[in-house]
Structures are given as structure tokens and as C-alpha cells.
Amino acid sequence: MQQKRNIQIIEWEDLDKKKFYSFGVFMTMTIRATVYPATLIRTRLQVQKGKSLYNGTFDAFFKILRAEGVRGLYRGFMVNTFTLISGQAYITTYELVRKYVSSYSTNNTLKSLVAGGSASLVAQSITVPIDVVSQQLMMQGQGAHLTRFRVKPKMAVAARKHRVTFGQTRDIIVQIFAADGFRGFYRGYVASLLTYIPNSAVWWPFYHFYAEQLSKLAPSECPHLVLQAMAGPLAAATASTVTNPMDVVRARVQVEGRTSVIETFKQLLAEEGLLGMTKGLSARIISSTPTAIVMVVGYETLKKLSLRPELVDSRHW
């Protein structure tokens, strides 16, 4: 446990692992359900050409709600819940790598940067195939004309009448495999790594940095959890702004079936200029703000609830 900072950091060795994983699954599921509509909107905004379908985040929200209902905002959500696996892999990798780096350095920024990047590498290797399928499902409805694969009309009707939850998913998986083989499920893998490894590597150091700065400005009686809840969105906005251009490229590679990250980047720049690099940024920040608050409050609370019994009374928050 680091004592140098005003805000104490609970490390891996301080945790009761059974409690940590039990509470962690519930926390991850809650976060994903909360922010999924913003993720869907961000994907559609990033894939559309110019403003051919939506004029912005709120315009997209109301148009989808009117045309497709609440269910339209949760297209592909059931498939996306499988990212619970990658979520647990991310948390575990992050904490273990922090512990490993601690053997060589006590610098918290270095530990956060290395652990965040490593955790994202592991998580994305699991997440990309799930994202490829869920993003195709996100684009059905008003955005169907922008994607390579479409759910067959009769399958869509059957899904509505008989509530065959994974009927559309099966249809998309079959089409992807028929068109691209197994590699199709890892389309955009490099773009995802180039997006999320820097995003994660930037997020954690800035999170601790903002928390530390806020702790210096806030009254001494201010709860640490409040400061951490404020630091999370600030770190998320910083990381989202830095990595958004690559996120736009990633979305287009995965949804449109492109093969070259560089060519996609060049085409986007040529067609839409620098503004094209900001596509979906507001939606990304809007989705990342509640995500960061819920994640930080949930994660820090999770770690506190998961403290080994003998350490509970020795920690002051």
C-alpha cells in the first residue's frame, strides 16, 4: 500500500480475491448496461458519411428512439455482455502488472501506464470478435445501409415474434464467416490495439494525477471517493480526446470491412478533413463520463469491500 499520496491506493495483495471477482461481475454488467446506448450512437456517428443520417449525438438519440424504440438503442447488447469476460481479464491483468512493476519501480505513474497498456492488450484480444459482431448488430435499423452485413428480413420478423434473442446474432456470424473466414472476427484488431492501448495507458496515469491534484485543493474532510469520482471523468475526457481519431478509423475498419488502417485514415482525412477525426467525440465523452464515474466509484468501492478482513480497520478513507 502506498502511503505517500493523500489518496491511498489499494494494491492487489490487499484484496480478498473471492469477494473481488464476485462483486466485479455485477459492477461490470451495470456499467455496460448504463452506457450501451451512447456506445451504439457513437458507432453510428463514426461510420456515417458526413452527416448523412444524424446531425449529432442528441439528434441520433431522438431519431433512433422515434424510429426503433428503446430496443433500437440496445441492438447487439446481449452479444456485448460477453465482454464481461474481457472486463475481468482487464482488471486482473491491470492489478497483476502493477504488482509486478512495483518490484522494479515505486513510481505510480509508470506502474499505471504499463499496467493500463498491458491490460488493454489482453482485453482487446478477447473483445474484438465480440465487438465485430455487436457493431454489425448496432448498425441494423436506420444504419443498415452503412454496413456490409444485414439481418435477413424473415429472421428479423421471427426474432420479433418469437423473441429468438440470438437469431440475428447467428445470422451475422454466419455472414461474417462466409465472407471473411475466421480472420473476419479480428477485423480491425490492429486499429483496436492502436486505440485502446494508448487510451488505457493514458487514462490510469491521468486518473491518479487528477485525483492527487484535487486532493490538494479539496478540504481535508472531503471523502476520497468524491475526489476519485471527479478525477475519473477528467481522465476519461483526456484519453478520449487523444485517441478519438484512431477510434473513428477502428469503427470504419470493423463495420465497412476495410483491410488497411493507413488507407482508411488517409481516406477519412481526404473526405472529411480534420473534423472527421472528431466524429463521435461528444458521444464518446458523454458515454465515458458516466462510465468513468460509475467505474471509479464502483471499482474503488469494490476494492474497499474486497479488502482482506485483517486490513479493514487499518485503512482510513
Side-chain angles (χ1 to χ4, degrees):
M1 177 68 64
Q2 295 185 1
Q3 300 294 343
K4 292 182 180 179
R5 288 170 177 263
N6 292 327
I7 295 182
Q8 295 173 305
I9 299 173
I10 301 175
E11 301 290 5
W12 181 249
E13 59 271 17
D14 301 326
L15 301 174
D16 179 326
K17 306 308 184 293
K18 288 183 180 179
K19 288 183 181 179
F20 184 71
Y21 285 116
S22 298
F23 293 139
V25 171
F26 174 76
M27 182 197 75
T28 304
M29 187 66 179
T30 301
I31 292 173
R32 294 194 184 282
T34 302
V35 305
Y36 191 81
T39 303
L40 181 143
I41 290 169
R42 183 192 78 202
T43 299
R44 291 195 182 185
L45 287 173
Q46 290 177 335
V47 173
Q48 73 173 353
K49 303 294 184 183
K51 295 184 178 180
S52 60
L53 196 57
Y54 308 114
N55 291 320
T57 301
F58 293 105
D59 180 56
F61 175 79
F62 290 114
K63 281 183 177 178
I64 294 170
L65 200 59
R66 282 197 298 268
E68 304 175 45
V70 175
R71 290 182 65 183
L73 293 169
Y74 280 88
R75 287 182 182 274
F77 177 70
M78 290 304 294
V79 177
N80 196 261
T81 58
F82 286 101
T83 54
L84 283 172
I85 301 169
S86 63
Q88 295 306 300
Y90 181 95
I91 291 173
T92 302
T93 304
Y94 177 78
E95 293 295 344
L96 287 175
V97 173
R98 269 188 69 91
K99 181 180 178 182
Y100 177 78
V101 177
S102 295
S103 303
Y104 300 93
S105 174
T106 58
N107 185 289
N108 189 62
T109 299
L110 177 63
K111 288 192 290 185
S112 299
L113 185 119
V114 176
S118 301
S120 191
L121 173 62
V122 172
Q124 285 305 304
S125 297
I126 302 170
T127 300
V128 168
I130 301 170
D131 271 352
V132 168
V133 176
S134 66
Q135 284 178 341
Q136 294 293 337
L137 290 167
M138 286 179 190
M139 296 304 297
Q140 303 304 310
Q142 288 184 320
H145 65 286
L146 298 172
T147 183
R148 295 170 68 206
F149 308 111
R150 301 185 187 183
V151 175
K152 297 176 183 177
K154 62 179 181 179
M155 291 293 290
V157 172
R160 284 198 296 271
K161 285 186 177 180
H162 305 294
R163 298 182 182 276
V164 183
T165 305
F166 291 103
Q168 295 185 358
T169 303
R170 223 172 17 245
D171 194 22
I172 291 295
I173 289 174
V174 168
Q175 290 183 56
I176 292 173
F177 187 76
D180 302 323
F182 181 76
R183 291 182 62 184
F185 295 101
Y186 274 90
R187 186 176 293 280
Y189 179 62
V190 173
S192 291
L193 294 183
L194 292 175
T195 300
Y196 292 114
I197 289 179
N199 187 83
S200 184
V202 167
W203 193 95
W204 286 103
F206 270 103
Y207 166 61
H208 290 300
F209 170 77
Y210 287 133
E212 182 183 11
Q213 297 307 309
L214 288 168
S215 71
K216 294 176 181 178
L217 298 172
S220 58
E221 63 273 13
C222 183
H224 289 173
L225 194 60
V226 172
L227 301 178
Q228 290 166 327
M230 294 170 64
L234 291 173
T238 302
S240 294
T241 302
V242 170
T243 61
N244 196 72
M246 202 63 235
D247 194 42
V248 177
V249 172
R250 175 198 60 81
R252 293 204 171 188
V253 167
Q254 291 181 332
V255 174
E256 297 178 357
R258 298 173 180 271
T259 57
S260 172
V261 171
I262 295 175
E263 288 303 318
T264 303
F265 183 84
K266 287 181 179 178
Q267 183 176 351
L268 176 64
L269 199 58
E271 292 179 352
E272 305 189 44
L274 291 176
L275 281 178
M277 302 299 168
T278 66
K279 276 178 164 292
L281 178 58
S282 60
R284 196 173 176 203
I285 292 176
I286 288 170
S287 68
S288 69
T289 297
T291 302
I293 294 173
V294 173
M295 189 191 85
V296 166
V297 172
Y299 187 60
E300 297 295 347
T301 302
L302 165 66
K303 291 173 78 175
K304 290 168 188 176
L305 291 174
S306 303
L307 269 172
R308 299 204 319 270
E310 65 271 21
L311 296 176
V312 173
D313 294 333
S314 66
R315 298 294 185 262
H316 173 67
W317 309 106

